[in-house]
Amino acid sequence: MSDTNVSQDKINRAVWRACDTFRGTVDPSIYKDYVLTMLFVKYLSDVWQDHWEEYQREHGDHPDLIRELMQNERFVLPPEANFYSLYERRHEPGNGERIDKALHAIEETNIQKLSDVFQDISFNSNKLGDEKQKNEILKDLLEDFHKPELNLRPSRIGRLDIIGNAYEFLIAEFASTSGKKAGEFYTPAEVSELIAELLAPKEGDEICDPACGSGSLLLKCANQIRNVHNGSKRFALYGQEAIGSTWALAKMNMFLHGVDNHRIEWGDTLRNPKLLDDKGRLKLFDVVAANPPFSLDKWGHDGAGDDPYGRFRRGVPPKTKGDYAFISHMVETLKPKTGRMAVVVPHGVLFRGSSEGKIRKQLIEENLLDAVIGLPEKLFFGTGIPAAILVFRQDKTDDDVLFIDASREFQPGKNQNSLAGENIRKIVESYSNRAGVDKYAHLATPEEIAENDFNLNIPRYVDTFEEEEEIDLIAVRAERQRLKEKLAGLEQEMENYLMELGYGS
């Protein structure tokens, strides 16, 4: 029976407290991976233990049968890799080496699902200090995760979502303390939610994020389908991520959310796309969504002219700005009839000229661009600049482009703004209705866009100008006269005080 007192909030607070061991000793951008990996190992161990005990209750006098049943679990946990084995030996030297061996054993016995996931992390690293300090820190970490409130057994916490959500919570907390590096691995949850609602993934869809970070945008798309279709798993997730440690987070994140129908590749999407079909061509998807790095320098310009996949046939983006390289890649991976995509971009993408202007013009003339949505500033970790979402569709029914200026409606925060539920709803409804809304949305014709030289800057289409009230000059003059008289009276009063004090002239 699950414990009814366990809430998402309590689990989140407990995992965040487990980071106390590192604070002040190691930078968050480093200890992030240690805490997230330990949470993963603890969860595997608790699920394993829970199921073992359940089978023992049912088949206590048949140890061989129990072993056989355990081999058919979603994963296999070798005895030496169990969190509790590591915890028992926490006072002995060599914690780092023991944990690394445990990770290696988990990977080896679950090679299909967890191959290479731990290769970028070492608990035996000198990043954690010299041998003595490292051993002490890891002892504390094992004790933090052994606390009763971090008992992650399904029989105690119930739904799998709680663990997946705790993992996402930790990633978001690390993002808010990681400055610029945060953008490498995390898209704020409400932006992912907005994109998922705009693209409305359906059962049977193949969904891809070519710059997937820790996988949160893909999981939001999966949730759209699960929520509408009663937990359905009839979809497939695909992703590619260039940074090894972030790719590992995505793999663990999928596992903790119970999503096995995924394929996440490690590598540089622009230089070496790995999501290919059986003929070696780019695989095509129903839904493509991404928040790629803004204006990426050194994105692979030199080899782009003779790209074997023909992704840059509309033009090669500039050497120091990879925005249109990602857009071009994504457009080329859309299925011809059902393909729809959303990409987060900096505003320069809407109006910069030269090669970017040529690519933008062609995408519009091919009638692929469906909507341009301006977002508020300070939504994204590591950058204060406002961004926009471009929506492209292969199944457009008109040749217009919808512009939405959602930049002024948000939940203000100290360092970070966010989109509230009603902000997301308004954007999604305006997108669905595909009609003008005063000072908020405008449906632009191809002629209008051509008149603007294919410049997509939102203020050219959505007029948010607020007229100032007319000024009554006679009333202003009368008020000025009244203030002059009042000032003269005050001057006289001050003069009298000064006379009385002997300062008069």
Side-chain angles (χ1 to χ4, degrees), residues 284-314:
L284 305 183
F285 304 96
D286 302 285
V287 170
V288 180
N291 172 21
F294 287 178
S295 304
L296 185 66
D297 192 6
K298 301 186 182 122
W299 56 269
H301 174 274
D302 295 346
D306 52 4
D307 177 54
Y309 307 101
R311 291 172 293 173
F312 308 113
R313 59 192 170 84
R314 297 176 187 86

Side-chain angles (χ1 to χ4, degrees), residues 33 37 40 114 116-121 167 213-214 241 243-254 264 266:
D33 296 333
T37 303
F40 187 71
L114 299 174
D116 292 335
V117 164
F118 303 118
Q119 68 176 11
D120 249 28
I121 178 119
Y167 200 77
S214 51
E241 171 53 43
I243 299 165
S245 56
T246 307
W247 169 83
L249 291 187
K251 291 286 285 181
M252 287 189 263
N253 206 0
M254 294 287 153
I264 311 283
W266 177 12

Side-chain angles (χ1 to χ4, degrees), residues 50 62 106 117 222 272 291 419 434:
D50 218 35
H62 296 93
I106 290 170
V117 164
N272 181 20
N291 172 21
L419 292 174
R434 206 160 176 72

Side-chain angles (χ1 to χ4, degrees), residues 64-76:
D64 292 344
L65 174 60
I66 293 170
R67 266 193 296 279
E68 185 63 36
L69 288 165
M70 291 304 286
Q71 290 303 310
N72 294 322
E73 288 287 298
R74 192 167 157 243
F75 61 89
V76 174

